[in-house]
Amino acid sequence: MKELESKYNPHDFELRIYDMWQENNLFSPEINPNGKPYTIMMPPPNVTGNLHMGHAMYVLQDIYIRYKRMQGYQVLWQPGTDHASIATESRVVKKIKSEGKSKEELGRDGFLEEAWAWTHEYGGNILRQMKAMGFSADWSRTKFTLDEGMSKAVLTAFLKYYNDGYIYRGDRIINWCPDCKTALSEAEVDHIENDGKIWEIKYPFEDGEGGVVIATTRPETMLGDLAVAVNPADDRYKSVVGKNVVLPLINRTIPVIADDYVDMEFGTGVVKITPSHDPNDFNVGARHELGQMVVINEDATIADGFGKYSGMDRYEARKAILADLEDCGLLVSTKNHLNNVGHCSRCGTIIEPLLSKQWFVKMKELAKVTLDAFNNGEPKFYPERFGKIYRNWLEDLNDWCISRQLWWGHRIPAYYCEECGHTMISVEDVEKCEKCGSNHIKHDEDTLDTWFSSALWPFATLGWPDETEDLKKFFPSDVMITGFDIIFFWVIRMSFSARYFTGKIPFKDVLITGLVRDGEGRKMTKSLNNGIDPLDVIEKYGADALRFNMITGNSPGNDMRFNEKKVENARNFANKVWNASRFLLMNIGVHNSTDFDKTKLRPEDAWILKNLNDTIEVVEKNLSKYEVGLAADKIYSFIWEDLCDYYIEFSKVVLYGDDEDKKEHTRSILLFVLENALKLLHPFMPFITEEIYQSLPNNDGFLMIQDWPKVFELDSSADESYHFIERVKELIRSIRNAKSTRNIEPSKKSALIIKGEEHFVEQVLLNQAIINPMIQVTEISTTADDLNATDYLKVSIPEADMYLPLRDLIDYEKEKIATQKQIDEYKNEINRLNKKLSNDGFVKNAPEQVVYKEREKLANYESLLESAEITLEEINKAL
């Protein structure tokens, strides 16, 4: 048994405790080999990332892992990291650029060497940081999305999707980032409202007789117009359908077509159709067999074949085209317009919709099966409202573009014969065409979307596609805890992938967390320079304080504001736990028994044990509903108020007394309650609870693998004891408040007379040994006589009236001098204000609000004077 240090300093033990846990392999599921499996899949952070406050929310996962481990479950918290293709590649490109090299100069193999070197240098950083938070994941199982096993799963999944007809390669409109130079899925595009323009342009009829006016927000794409369209129900334009117009500046003849896609309320009701640069126009073009015409290159410049505009940046070309249209008299108007513009979520560049040959996953059937499972309760969302977002996405999923024009990531397993054009999909390298026998084979240059591999995370990390024991035991997982911002990115993709490849939804529950914002409610961003490094907070306050801060005062799904004062309060709580434990251990000594005679329970004993039972039940109930904050609040209240503020104070009477039998009894209860309080708190604040537990005389190894507390059986008399002590608490609070109101020092002692309900008064008299020290009372007595109210400080609770003799509490001579001084000060202020307000010059010339405030001050001082004079009169009577 070790002795606790006199002062709480988390840096003295947090690292040491964590090393002890790891050295003893306590994070392994094999700690409870016969337990029922319980699994959480850690959302894999970017391998090159650093810990930020969002990762601090992972503490929720650790709370459930530690809680279930103590309940005897065979617990697996599967950790790992994501290769983060776009993010990592962009960082490596910047690094080699700073060294005077380029991606193209290095070539694919040379660039991948650089990327792997970067990953090895920075890849373990975030995992080391997570360990500082106390996370008890089984690090021996750490996976990386480019590991051999994960790569095998990715290739197997691609092959099965392809063979089953779900993956195809085709020309479609995709989101293209000109800066990252890769295709993006819709989920990787941030739509931001911008103040833009809408331009109305006249397209003359081919016959020279008039024309139509179209409205567009992107005039630079008009170079690729292949039609103009109107709604067939629009009476204004029925007569022009079938005519041809001349495309301004290009002088190409294009038709006027009718299509239901056109919004009659937008602009003039006539729109340009550019099939190669707008997803809706692509569909219109397909319906009317318009063909394609690519205008904008992958670097966002105008393509060849468009005269002086070719080679210009897209926005430079926009200015030139508008100027030329104005010169031709064809620019009809320019209006302000609020545009919803897509930006690359990684670099912020405005994306360009481009016609491109890419690989896609057909989503219609996959989404339907996943939606059917959701309608049958798989998975359940907490809070429930996020299930609606999940449903809405599934009901409107477009085909998923999975190819990326990057080198870092899983290379698409497609091989092309350069002789006959045959395409082969294989998990093994292909060197010979299976169709014509040629050896001229080219491997597809593109890589898969990062989310393709992440979608397989819940089962690929357990060994899929092999039928492993881990897969049988730990899949599906019990709960997925993640942020609302990746419901589409990740949660949906995991769901349909697992449903397709394993026949199961990958998790039973989904707990959605909000964002961590700064104290003003703003999102933490580099541009605002308001980010907070969790490790800085740990350095200042300790990991336990940060952990407790992250889950208190916050409900599921809601954003939380980071407030350092809250962390300080959490540290103060840890300090309270430390000091209380140290006091108890000093008074318990070597006593190591938690057995006590239930027939000898005093009221305060039964009260604390019943409160402990209630705390266990409330914590378990709230954790079952994922109300982690409420569970933490209950533990905080039990430890700070019930145990520290009351029961320990009640116990001092016995501990400082001479009755050794009572001392042993009380020590057993104190040790029992402390041990169970530490167990309840452990999932939330694991370091301090483990350190204190190691100092308990009855410790049995490590706290983190002890049994979760069970409700203690009490007889019916405990209810009566509980209610009595609750009324005693009200008595104590009321007397303390009354003394405070009269500015009487809390330590000022006096007698107390109590009158009220006979049974309650009798119990108070019997238990005054524990009550008197709490309210600085020398003796409690009762009387049937009437008491002169002016001689006593009267305090009332529903069960009784209590009287404290004022002569014991107040120095009347001193009070008289102080009160007279107050009266004199009030009179001086009243005289000053009366003079000021009787001055006509002030009343007439000063602002009305100023005069009003002066009159308000006068009324206030007159009221204070009246109260002070009454007080002085009472003091004189007492003297």
Side-chain angles (χ1 to χ4, degrees):
M1 186 180 81
K2 61 189 289 293
E3 187 176 331
L4 289 181
E5 295 293 332
S6 59
K7 289 185 178 180
Y8 168 62
N9 183 359
H11 301 306
D12 288 345
F13 57 84
E14 286 189 347
L15 181 59
R16 170 173 50 80
I17 289 289
Y18 197 86
D19 288 343
M20 285 168 53
W21 289 332
Q22 285 202 290
E23 288 164 6
N24 287 274
N25 202 29
L26 301 187
F27 302 157
S28 167
E30 297 312 309
I31 287 297
N32 295 321
N34 300 318
K36 181 182 177 183
Y38 182 88
T39 315
I40 295 180
M41 290 287 163
M42 179 187 290
N46 289 356
V47 67
T48 57
N50 279 306
L51 200 67
H52 57 71
M53 291 310 295
H55 291 121
M57 290 303 291
Y58 280 34
V59 70
L60 288 169
Q61 299 170 55
D62 193 48
I63 286 170
Y64 277 94
I65 287 296
R66 289 179 179 274
Y67 169 55
K68 292 297 180 178
R69 187 184 287 123
M70 293 177 79
Q71 285 190 319
Y73 285 81
Q74 189 175 15
V75 165
L76 172 63
W77 188 11
Q78 174 64 56
T81 52
D82 193 285
H83 65 279
S85 55
I86 295 179
T88 302
E89 182 148 329
S90 64
R91 288 191 180 197
V92 177
V93 166
K94 286 177 184 176
K95 173 185 175 290
I96 61 177
K97 188 177 180 180
S98 70
E99 298 168 350
K101 296 177 283 188
S102 73
K103 178 179 170 182
E104 290 70 26
E105 288 170 355
L106 289 175
R108 189 177 196 120
D109 290 343
F111 178 79
L112 289 178
E113 286 180 14
E114 289 277 357
W116 275 110
W118 174 276
T119 299
H120 291 143
E121 183 175 355
Y122 296 101
N125 195 35
I126 199 166
L127 298 183
R128 287 190 293 273
Q129 292 172 325
M130 285 183 166
K131 291 175 184 179
M133 291 282 293
F135 296 164
S136 60
D138 187 355
W139 303 110
S140 69
R141 295 170 174 259
T142 301
K143 303 293 184 185
F144 177 45
T145 47
L146 285 180
D147 281 347
E148 184 179 342
M150 287 295 296
S151 295
K152 176 183 176 181
V154 167
L155 296 177
T156 303
F158 189 99
L159 183 63
K160 179 167 175 55
Y161 269 145
Y162 182 81
N163 288 340
D164 291 352
Y166 286 97
I167 282 183
Y168 66 94
R169 191 180 188 222
D171 292 312
R172 297 285 299 271
I173 295 290
I174 51 92
N175 298 304
W176 180 266
C177 176
D179 186 58
C180 296
K181 294 192 169 44
T182 184
L184 304 172
S185 70
E186 189 61 32
E188 294 166 304
V189 176
D190 295 330
H191 291 277
I192 302 170
E193 283 193 342
N194 289 347
D195 291 325
K197 305 286 183 185
I198 185 169
W199 291 274
E200 293 185 348
I201 304 167
K202 183 177 180 180
Y203 283 36
F205 287 128
E206 184 182 24
D207 59 14
E209 298 294 326
V212 292
V213 176
I214 64 96
T216 181
T217 58
R218 303 189 67 218
E220 65 276 13
T221 63
M222 68 180 288
L223 304 174
D225 287 358
L226 297 180
V228 295
V230 298
N231 192 296
D234 195 333
D235 292 335
R236 294 173 295 174
Y237 300 113
K238 284 185 177 179
S239 63
V240 304
V241 175
K243 285 189 174 187
N244 289 331
V245 296
V246 178
L247 182 63
L249 308 182
I250 302 300
N251 296 322
R252 185 169 65 245
T253 301
I254 57 176
V256 179
I257 61 174
D259 196 280
D260 291 329
Y261 154 71
V262 179
D263 180 359
M264 291 185 286
E265 302 300 320
F266 177 78
T268 62
V270 185
V271 296
K272 55 195 278 311
I273 302 299
T274 318
S276 299
H277 294 282
D278 182 278
N280 294 311
D281 290 4
F282 178 87
N283 294 331
V284 173
R287 286 195 291 272
H288 296 269
E289 299 181 346
L290 297 178
Q292 299 291 334
M293 182 171 291
V294 175
V295 175
I296 299 177
N297 296 319
E298 291 180 355
D299 62 358
T301 60
I302 302 300
D304 291 340
F306 297 98
K308 70 175 188 177
Y309 309 116
S310 294
M312 287 184 180
D313 173 77
R314 52 183 168 169
Y315 297 121
E316 181 187 355
R318 175 182 290 184
K319 291 178 183 177
I321 288 169
L322 289 170
D324 290 345
L325 287 169
E326 191 162 20
D327 290 343
C328 297
L330 296 176
L331 183 59
V332 177
S333 71
T334 301
K335 300 175 182 176
N336 291 328
H337 182 69
L338 197 62
N339 286 339
N340 206 16
V341 180
H343 293 68
C344 173
S345 62
R346 287 292 177 189
C347 69
T349 302
I350 294 177
I351 61 101
E352 190 62 49
L354 290 183
L355 180 70
S356 180
K357 190 176 289 293
Q358 302 286 342
W359 288 92
F360 297 87
V361 177
K362 294 178 182 176
M363 288 309 310
K364 188 175 180 180
E365 289 182 29
L366 295 172
K368 182 184 181 304
V369 173
T370 309
L371 184 59
D372 288 344
F374 178 66
N375 290 334
N376 288 325
E378 298 181 86
K380 288 184 169 64
F381 276 82
Y382 297 84
E384 191 176 342
R385 67 180 185 273
F386 288 102
K388 295 177 182 177
I389 298 174
Y390 181 84
R391 177 194 299 280
N392 291 341
W393 276 110
L394 284 171
E395 288 176 340
D396 191 28
L397 271 186
N398 295 320
D399 286 357
W400 176 17
C401 177
I402 56 171
S403 46
R404 297 291 180 270
Q405 288 61 54
L406 303 167
W407 287 349
W408 176 246
H410 296 282
R411 196 167 180 178
I412 290 175
Y415 299 83
Y416 310 108
C417 177
E418 296 182 305
E419 295 291 336
C420 70
H422 180 58
T423 298
M424 292 158 283
I425 305 298
S426 172
V427 296
E428 306 292 339
D429 289 342
V430 174
E431 297 178 354
K432 186 176 182 179
C433 178
E434 62 186 9
K435 187 173 182 181
C436 72
S438 170
N439 293 322
H440 295 123
I441 306 297
K442 183 178 180 182
H443 192 173
D444 196 303
E445 293 287 332
D446 292 348
T447 55
L448 286 164
D449 178 9
T450 295
W451 296 101
F452 190 94
S453 53
S454 300
L456 311 179
W457 188 255
F459 49 98
T461 51
L462 298 173
W464 186 91
D466 297 330
E467 281 290 327
T468 65
E469 287 302 313
D470 280 351
L471 187 64
K472 294 174 186 175
K473 185 183 295 183
F474 296 114
F475 181 82
S477 64
D478 290 83
V479 60
M480 169 54 62
I481 303 177
T482 190
F484 73 84
D485 51 334
I486 55 173
I487 290 176
F488 174 73
F489 276 98
W490 195 40
V491 177
I492 282 177
R493 288 170 176 169
M494 284 189 288
S495 293
F496 70 68
S497 298
R499 183 70 179 77
Y500 182 68
F501 292 115
T502 72
K504 301 173 183 176
I505 295 298
F507 22 71
K508 297 162 191 168
D509 297 336
V510 179
L511 172 59
I512 298 296
T513 63
L515 294 176
V516 181
R517 299 184 178 273
D518 70 8
E520 297 176 32
R522 300 174 301 177
K523 188 174 180 179
M524 293 184 183
T525 63
K526 289 181 181 177
S527 60
L528 289 174
N529 195 31
N530 61 345
I532 296 168
D533 186 342
L535 294 186
D536 291 342
V537 181
I538 291 172
E539 180 63 29
K540 190 171 182 181
Y541 297 104
D544 283 328
L546 176 59
R547 287 171 64 107
F548 207 71
N549 163 76
M550 297 307 294
I551 45 92
T552 51
N554 193 38
S555 54
N558 291 339
D559 291 352
M560 71 162 287
R561 293 189 179 193
F562 181 83
N563 186 328
E564 191 166 340
K565 183 66 179 174
K566 237 182 95 186
V567 188
E568 190 177 326
N569 291 340
R571 191 191 188 282
N572 291 342
F573 174 56
N575 195 59
K576 181 89 168 180
V577 172
W578 184 270
N579 289 336
S581 299
R582 190 167 180 274
F583 170 81
L584 291 182
L585 291 172
M586 289 170 62
N587 283 278
I588 289 171
V590 295
H591 180 91
N592 62 1
S593 173
T594 55
D595 293 331
F596 47 86
D597 189 341
K598 288 194 288 184
T599 65
K600 294 182 179 179
L601 293 179
R602 301 185 304 277
E604 64 269 28
D605 299 334
W607 171 80
I608 193 66
L609 292 170
K610 187 173 190 310
N611 269 333
L612 175 61
N613 282 349
D614 290 346
T615 302
I616 295 169
E617 290 175 343
V618 169
V619 168
E620 290 179 351
K621 180 181 178 182
N622 280 309
L623 288 179
S624 72
K625 299 185 297 182
Y626 299 107
E627 291 284 0
V628 181
L630 294 179
D633 289 344
K634 182 63 177 176
I635 296 169
Y636 177 97
S637 174
F638 173 75
I639 292 175
W640 190 295
E641 182 177 337
D642 299 341
L643 178 57
C644 296
D645 287 354
Y646 285 98
Y647 188 68
I648 289 177
E649 295 302 316
F650 291 152
S651 299
K652 287 178 180 178
V653 176
V654 175
L655 294 174
Y656 297 163
D658 299 322
D659 190 323
E660 290 302 320
D661 288 342
K662 285 184 178 180
K663 282 185 181 181
E664 291 297 289
H665 172 84
T666 299
R667 285 171 181 149
S668 292
I669 295 176
L670 282 168
L671 186 57
F672 177 81
V673 173
L674 176 60
E675 180 182 1
N676 281 284
L678 292 174
K679 289 179 179 180
L680 287 167
L681 184 59
H682 177 76
F684 305 86
M685 301 179 94
F687 290 112
I688 186 174
T689 50
E690 186 71 80
E691 178 71 356
I692 294 170
Y693 182 78
Q694 295 304 314
S695 297
L696 296 191
N698 65 327
N699 85 72
D700 183 23
F702 291 97
L703 175 62
M704 69 169 284
I705 55 172
Q706 298 305 307
D707 290 341
W708 182 254
K710 292 180 173 60
V711 171
F712 183 79
E713 188 176 340
L714 294 166
D715 60 35
S716 57
S717 65
D719 286 338
E720 183 180 346
S721 295
Y722 172 82
H723 290 298
F724 170 66
I725 296 295
E726 283 297 308
R727 300 321 304 150
V728 167
K729 283 171 59 183
E730 182 62 25
L731 178 155
I732 292 167
R733 281 194 295 262
S734 298
I735 289 176
R736 287 173 175 174
N737 290 340
K739 290 172 80 171
S740 174
T741 302
R742 291 292 297 267
N743 294 317
I744 298 169
E745 287 293 326
S747 59
K748 198 80 171 176
K749 292 183 180 295
S750 74
L752 182 144
I753 301 170
I754 185 169
K755 300 173 69 174
E757 291 179 6
E758 183 179 349
H759 180 67
F760 178 74
V761 170
E762 181 183 315
Q763 288 298 308
V764 168
L765 295 174
L766 286 172
N767 289 279
Q768 63 177 295
I770 65 168
I771 299 172
N772 294 358
M774 302 285 281
I775 51 176
Q776 299 302 312
V777 163
T778 54
E779 181 186 16
I780 302 177
S781 60
T782 187
T783 181
D785 299 338
D786 292 331
L787 301 173
N788 185 351
T790 59
D791 294 336
Y792 296 91
L793 173 62
K794 182 182 177 183
V795 182
S796 297
I797 61 173
E799 293 80 6
D801 295 325
M802 292 158 291
Y803 300 86
L804 299 165
L806 286 171
R807 281 193 173 278
D808 293 350
L809 301 171
I810 297 175
D811 183 336
Y812 282 109
E813 289 294 346
K814 188 177 177 182
E815 287 293 310
K816 181 178 180 179
I817 294 169
T819 305
Q820 185 60 60
K821 185 178 177 183
Q822 277 187 331
I823 289 172
D824 293 341
E825 289 173 357
Y826 296 153
K827 284 180 176 178
N828 288 337
E829 282 299 311
I830 290 168
N831 288 335
R832 182 184 67 80
L833 288 166
N834 276 327
K835 285 179 183 179
K836 194 172 187 179
L837 291 168
S838 63
N839 184 338
D840 287 342
F842 170 74
V843 175
K844 289 178 180 177
N845 297 321
E848 185 179 337
Q849 188 65 23
V850 172
V851 175
Y852 174 79
K853 284 186 177 179
E854 293 299 293
R855 285 179 174 150
E856 206 173 41
K857 286 181 188 176
L858 177 61
N860 185 46
Y861 278 118
E862 287 173 340
S863 175
L864 290 170
L865 176 62
E866 183 181 354
S867 296
E869 287 176 335
I870 292 171
T871 300
L872 184 60
E873 186 179 341
E874 290 177 351
I875 291 172
N876 286 328
K877 285 180 182 178
L879 287 170

